[in-house]
Amino acid sequence: MKNLLFLILIFSVSKITAQSFRTVSVLDSADSKPIANAKILTRNSVLYTNEDGKVLIPEQIKNIEISAPWYGMKKISSVSPQIYLKPLFKEIQEVVVTNVDLKKIFRNIIDTYSTVYYSNPSLYTGTVKQKSFVDGKIAHLLVADVNVWSKFNFYNFKESKDPDSFFNIGLNDIKYYKTIKLDESYPFASVPNLLPKDFIGTFYMNYQIAGMLNTVKDLKIKTSLLYENAGIQKLRFESEKNDKFEIKFSGFLTYNKNDKAIINLNVVIDQNYAQSEKVSKTGEPYTSNTTKAEVFFDFYKKNNQYLPSLITVMGEGYSESKTMKVPFKAYQEIKLEKFSEGNKRGLKKKIDLNKSFIENIPDKDINETKTLLSAQEQNFIDAKS
């Protein structure tokens, strides 16, 4: 009888929990296509849509603010199952402008970073997602709850040899985890992935901007104005190619002229120089070549300063041996859902940044919680290995 009551209690609690969230789709008002990574601001948290434009929003939340880089912002006091955002400039002709000095904007961001962006010790709770593809097919997926501690909220180049002194990640529940076993037809060492240490620099926008400025310091950046209203500019840019390192940058950004702040920044890096030598499972040498990388930073304003809320990194290329060449793609994101003031000491329980996320979790326990996977990701999890 006690066991029966216990099961009924568990079922009842689970049912209540399931009813406390609603699934909301954010769509383009022009063509009804889903908008991935649309930002939803609530009073105490930041949420994002998945690749299918869907997000779980707590039932009790009524007032939200929704935005996305290519769309207008929308404030809502009653959340409906479908929310439509209007594109900003589908009908606006791109204008090449000469009075927007992007290098000057970038340098000013670097110089004023600690005042425009929150720069005191910070503690964030959120999720990390890793996803890898081999030969066009998904081969690895990890979704986990994380704590992120940042001492400065910007990359401290003076302490670059000891990043653990200003950046910590603590892993909580593993929501989803699956890596397929690749057979003998894939001889390379492992599924391509990003180690936490590789993500430290790209976690901070000032690191990315400083790297771009250093690479293109003697080169031109073509800048195009796509949209401007009330001091908010949408800019597209493309640099000349650095022939020495065989690299060029392109992308877009949202710039607030009044605050002198970049609200979001997307950078695409085309390169032919990123190559590493590795050894296959059979002991044969091969090369891993990254030909394209992409990073995205998104921020929101709180108490007159900007806080990070989403950082994504993608790398694609190919592994090549004497007998075969296989394309790969690796993606990683950190969504920072909630912010609180931190201390200067960091996290007590933190991962080893030199190991993969999975290596930091000995038991690999999976504790599924409220995370909405895309249809592709869910099919991968559900498929029999």
Side-chain angles (χ1 to χ4, degrees):
M1 185 62 180
K2 287 183 178 179
N3 290 337
L4 179 60
L5 290 173
F6 181 66
L7 289 172
I8 292 174
L9 178 62
I10 290 177
F11 176 78
S12 300
V13 171
S14 299
K15 189 174 181 180
I16 292 171
T17 301
Q19 290 177 340
S20 63
F21 288 84
R22 73 186 85 184
T23 301
V24 175
S25 296
V26 181
L27 308 169
D28 187 311
S29 64
D31 55 19
S32 296
K33 290 184 179 180
I35 302 174
N37 284 334
K39 177 170 59 185
I40 297 97
L41 291 178
T42 74
R43 182 178 179 182
N44 298 311
S45 63
V46 188
L47 307 173
Y48 281 88
T49 57
N50 64 12
E51 292 176 9
D52 299 330
K54 296 180 179 181
V55 62
L56 292 174
I57 298 179
E59 289 281 356
Q60 68 270 22
I61 291 179
K62 304 300 180 184
N63 298 306
I64 60 174
E65 180 181 303
I66 307 178
S67 61
W70 303 106
Y71 297 84
M73 185 269 288
K74 193 171 189 178
K75 290 185 178 181
I76 294 175
S77 57
S78 179
V79 180
S80 59
Q82 287 88 34
I83 298 173
Y84 292 88
L85 295 183
K86 185 178 180 180
L88 286 177
F89 45 79
K90 279 192 173 182
E91 298 179 359
I92 295 179
Q93 185 176 0
E94 182 176 305
V95 179
V96 178
V97 292
T98 57
N99 61 336
V100 176
D101 187 340
L102 196 57
K103 287 186 181 180
K104 183 178 179 180
I105 290 176
F106 283 156
R107 285 193 292 268
N108 184 68
I109 290 290
I110 295 294
D111 293 339
T112 62
Y113 207 90
S114 61
T115 55
V116 175
Y117 300 88
Y118 188 81
S119 58
N120 291 327
S122 306
L123 181 63
Y124 303 93
T125 58
T127 59
V128 62
K129 177 189 289 185
Q130 286 188 333
K131 187 161 52 173
S132 301
F133 297 82
V134 174
D135 205 12
K137 298 179 181 179
I138 187 169
H140 167 80
L141 178 66
L142 167 70
V143 183
D145 284 327
V146 293
N147 294 326
V148 177
W149 171 81
S150 179
K151 188 175 182 180
F152 309 107
N153 260 337
F154 59 85
Y155 190 86
N156 190 330
F157 290 93
K158 293 179 180 179
E159 298 186 23
S160 60
K161 293 183 179 180
D162 184 22
D164 200 57
S165 66
F166 63 88
F167 179 82
N168 297 165
I169 298 180
L171 275 179
N172 299 323
D173 290 331
I174 302 299
K175 296 183 176 185
Y176 296 96
Y177 168 61
K178 182 178 181 180
T179 297
I180 63 173
K181 291 184 178 180
L182 299 169
D183 58 25
E184 290 76 13
S185 63
Y186 183 82
F188 306 115
S190 61
V191 172
N193 230 324
L194 292 167
L195 290 175
K197 68 174 183 178
D198 300 325
F199 196 68
I200 297 170
T202 50
F203 184 86
Y204 298 104
M205 187 173 67
N206 73 306
Y207 180 94
Q208 179 64 49
I209 291 175
M212 283 197 295
L213 285 174
N214 184 59
T215 305
V216 301
K217 60 183 178 181
D218 298 321
L219 303 173
K220 294 180 180 179
I221 301 178
K222 174 187 173 183
T223 306
S224 305
L225 178 64
L226 303 176
Y227 172 87
E228 182 170 5
N229 183 41
I232 302 297
Q233 291 183 325
K234 302 285 184 177
L235 302 171
R236 177 178 287 141
F237 63 91
E238 182 177 350
S239 76
E240 293 180 326
K241 184 179 180 180
N242 184 316
D243 292 325
K244 180 180 179 181
F245 297 106
E246 297 185 63
I247 187 172
K248 66 177 293 186
F249 301 97
S250 61
F252 68 85
L253 60 93
T254 303
Y255 182 63
N256 187 319
K257 291 170 64 177
N258 303 317
D259 294 342
K260 291 182 170 41
I262 292 176
I263 302 173
N264 51 61
L265 172 66
N266 170 265
V267 182
V268 177
I269 307 158
D270 291 300
Q271 55 192 6
N272 295 319
Y273 194 76
Q275 185 180 89
S276 59
E277 302 290 334
K278 296 187 177 182
V279 179
S280 70
K281 300 172 186 176
T282 58
E284 297 295 322
Y286 74 95
T287 59
S288 178
N289 306 271
T290 302
T291 57
K292 181 180 179 181
E294 185 170 357
V295 294
F296 178 75
F297 305 90
D298 201 15
F299 298 84
Y300 66 103
K301 193 175 182 179
K302 183 174 183 178
N303 297 329
N304 296 318
Q305 288 186 303
Y306 287 87
L307 288 162
S309 51
L310 174 65
I311 306 98
T312 70
V313 183
M314 184 279 294
E316 62 181 59
Y318 58 91
S319 297
E320 185 174 28
S321 66
K322 291 182 178 179
T323 58
M324 66 188 310
K325 181 179 179 179
V326 180
F328 66 76
K329 181 178 178 180
Y331 172 83
Q332 183 166 289
E333 69 179 26
I334 290 186
K335 293 178 177 178
L336 305 173
E337 183 176 336
K338 293 185 177 181
F339 158 81
S340 61
E341 295 180 0
N343 58 52
K344 294 183 178 181
R345 299 182 299 275
L347 301 177
K348 290 183 179 179
K349 293 183 179 180
K350 56 188 178 182
I351 67 171
D352 183 344
L353 297 174
N354 292 302
K355 295 181 179 179
S356 70
F357 282 111
I358 293 303
E359 288 175 321
N360 276 281
I361 311 166
D363 53 14
K364 313 291 190 301
D365 281 344
I366 299 175
N367 182 19
E368 295 186 9
T369 54
K370 285 297 172 186
T371 294
L372 194 60
L373 297 179
S374 69
Q376 180 197 52
E377 293 164 349
Q378 192 64 60
N379 290 337
F380 174 70
I381 291 294
D382 294 339
K384 294 182 180 180
S385 300

